[in-house]
Structure formats: structure tokens, C-alpha cells
């Protein structure tokens, strides 16, 4: 079951410049982290009950580098909190959603994540995200 919008992922070319921009908008970064499995550096910016996740590529073949090459900087994905990611993947596939990840993989902040293919979600990359204790 989807519980809330966990975060909005935004692809940026220059993390430090992006952090500075959000500071000017009046928001503060919580911390940065490298997620090796996705070849990205992420920064989380709390906004009330949700967060903005800035994503910077750490390698040329990073999905973020490819995204920026194709579509430029901007909103890259929406992430929904789920209580049971395995069940969520199963139900999505039953409903005809094409999953990039058929098994959960490690995300930032010790989460388990799985992406649905934007081809089957109206061009918007959707992430399911389960927090672990
Ligand atoms: Zn994300």
C-alpha cells in the first residue's frame, strides 16, 4: 500500500550549485550520500512531510547522466513510500505496470527501492521506497 509521497527526485549537473540554489529558496539540505548501486550522489532537502532528492551522476554511465543528456536537468522521478515493497512490486506487475526492478534493491538512507518503467507510467519514472528499521 502506498502511504505518502516520500520524495521528488531532481537531476542536477552540479550538486553544490543546486544546494546553493535551494538555500536561496529558503530550504536546507539534510546531508549528502553516495549510492553506489545507482552511481549517484544524493542530497535530501526536507520540505514539510516530504523531501526533495537532488541527484548528481558519479559516473558517465550513471542513469542520471543519461537522463540529463536526453532531457536536461529537472524532475527525474516521484518516490512513494510503501509498507511492503515486495507486495507492491507484485501488485504493480499484476496490474500491467512494467517494473525495471522486479526485486527490491538498496537505496539512499538504508531504504529498499524499486523503479517502474516510465513507458508504463505516462513518462514519469516512479520509485517505490520502503524504509527499513
Ligand atoms: Zn529517489
Amino acid at each position: 500500500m502506498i502511504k505518502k509521497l516520500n520524495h521528488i527526485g531532481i537531476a542536477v549537473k552540479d550538486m553544490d550549485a543546486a544546494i546553493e540554489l535551494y538555500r536561496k529558496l529558503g530550504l536546507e539540505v539534510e546531508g549528502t550520500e553516495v549510492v553506489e548501486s545507482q552511481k549517484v550522489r544524493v542530497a535530501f532537502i526536507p520540505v514539510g512531510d516530504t523531501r526533495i532528492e537532488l541527484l548528481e551522476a558519479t559516473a558517465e554511465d550513471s542513469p542520471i547522466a543519461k537522463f540529463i543528456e536526453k532531457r536536461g536537468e529537472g524532475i527525474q522521478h516521484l518516490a512513494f513510500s510503501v509498507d511492503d515493497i515486495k507486495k507492491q512490486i507484485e501488485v504493480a506487475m499484476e496490474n500491467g505496470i512494467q517494473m525495471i526492478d522486479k526485486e527490491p534493491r538498496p537505496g539512499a538512507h538504508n531504504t529498499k527501492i524499486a523503479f517502474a518503467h516510465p513507458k508504463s507510467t505516462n513518462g514519469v519514472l516512479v520509485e517505490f521506497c520502503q524504509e527499513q528499521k
Side-chain angles (χ1 to χ4, degrees), residues 7 9 44 53 55 77 79 115 127:
H7 62 266
F44 276 108
E53 178 187 59
L55 301 139
H77 67 270
F115 286 99
E127 172 187 343

Short mmCIF file of all heavy atoms in Angstrom, two decimals, residues 7 9 44 53 55 77 79 115 127, ligand 1:
data_model
loop_
_atom_site.label_atom_id
_atom_site.label_comp_id
_atom_site.label_asym_id
_atom_site.label_seq_id
_atom_site.Cartn_x
_atom_site.Cartn_y
_atom_site.Cartn_z
N HIS A 7 9.50 11.37 -1.72
CA HIS A 7 10.34 12.47 -2.23
C HIS A 7 10.17 12.65 -3.73
O HIS A 7 9.61 11.79 -4.41
CB HIS A 7 11.82 12.24 -1.88
CG HIS A 7 12.42 11.00 -2.48
ND1 HIS A 7 12.49 9.80 -1.79
CD2 HIS A 7 12.98 10.76 -3.69
CE1 HIS A 7 13.07 8.89 -2.56
NE2 HIS A 7 13.37 9.44 -3.71
N GLY A 9 12.54 13.34 -6.99
CA GLY A 9 13.93 13.28 -7.43
C GLY A 9 14.19 14.29 -8.53
O GLY A 9 13.46 14.33 -9.52
N PHE A 44 19.36 15.20 0.36
CA PHE A 44 17.94 15.28 0.72
C PHE A 44 17.63 16.63 1.35
O PHE A 44 18.35 17.10 2.22
CB PHE A 44 17.57 14.16 1.67
CG PHE A 44 17.23 12.87 0.97
CD1 PHE A 44 18.08 11.79 1.03
CD2 PHE A 44 16.05 12.76 0.24
CE1 PHE A 44 17.77 10.60 0.37
CE2 PHE A 44 15.74 11.58 -0.42
CZ PHE A 44 16.60 10.50 -0.35
N GLU A 53 14.92 15.24 -3.45
CA GLU A 53 16.17 14.48 -3.55
C GLU A 53 16.93 14.99 -4.77
O GLU A 53 16.49 14.78 -5.90
CB GLU A 53 15.83 12.98 -3.71
CG GLU A 53 17.03 12.08 -3.87
CD GLU A 53 16.64 10.64 -4.21
OE1 GLU A 53 15.98 10.43 -5.24
OE2 GLU A 53 16.98 9.74 -3.45
N LEU A 55 19.91 14.73 -7.33
CA LEU A 55 20.71 13.60 -7.83
C LEU A 55 21.77 14.09 -8.80
O LEU A 55 21.45 14.76 -9.79
CB LEU A 55 19.79 12.62 -8.57
CG LEU A 55 18.64 12.03 -7.75
CD1 LEU A 55 17.38 11.97 -8.59
CD2 LEU A 55 19.01 10.65 -7.25
N HIS A 77 12.15 11.76 -11.02
CA HIS A 77 11.23 10.71 -10.58
C HIS A 77 10.40 11.14 -9.38
O HIS A 77 10.72 12.11 -8.70
CB HIS A 77 11.98 9.41 -10.27
CG HIS A 77 12.89 9.47 -9.08
ND1 HIS A 77 14.21 9.83 -9.15
CD2 HIS A 77 12.67 9.18 -7.77
CE1 HIS A 77 14.76 9.78 -7.94
NE2 HIS A 77 13.84 9.38 -7.08
N ALA A 79 8.85 9.42 -5.83
CA ALA A 79 9.02 8.23 -4.99
C ALA A 79 7.90 8.15 -3.96
O ALA A 79 7.61 9.12 -3.25
CB ALA A 79 10.36 8.29 -4.27
N PHE A 115 12.08 0.60 -9.13
CA PHE A 115 11.55 1.55 -10.11
C PHE A 115 10.59 0.89 -11.09
O PHE A 115 10.83 -0.25 -11.52
CB PHE A 115 12.70 2.18 -10.90
CG PHE A 115 13.50 3.20 -10.13
CD1 PHE A 115 14.72 2.86 -9.55
CD2 PHE A 115 13.03 4.50 -9.98
CE1 PHE A 115 15.45 3.80 -8.83
CE2 PHE A 115 13.75 5.44 -9.27
CZ PHE A 115 14.97 5.09 -8.69
N GLU A 127 9.22 5.53 -8.33
CA GLU A 127 10.02 4.72 -7.41
C GLU A 127 9.14 4.32 -6.23
O GLU A 127 8.41 5.14 -5.68
CB GLU A 127 11.20 5.57 -6.90
CG GLU A 127 12.02 4.93 -5.80
CD GLU A 127 13.08 5.88 -5.21
OE1 GLU A 127 13.41 6.90 -5.83
OE2 GLU A 127 13.55 5.60 -4.10
ZN1 LIG B 1 14.53 8.58 -5.22
#
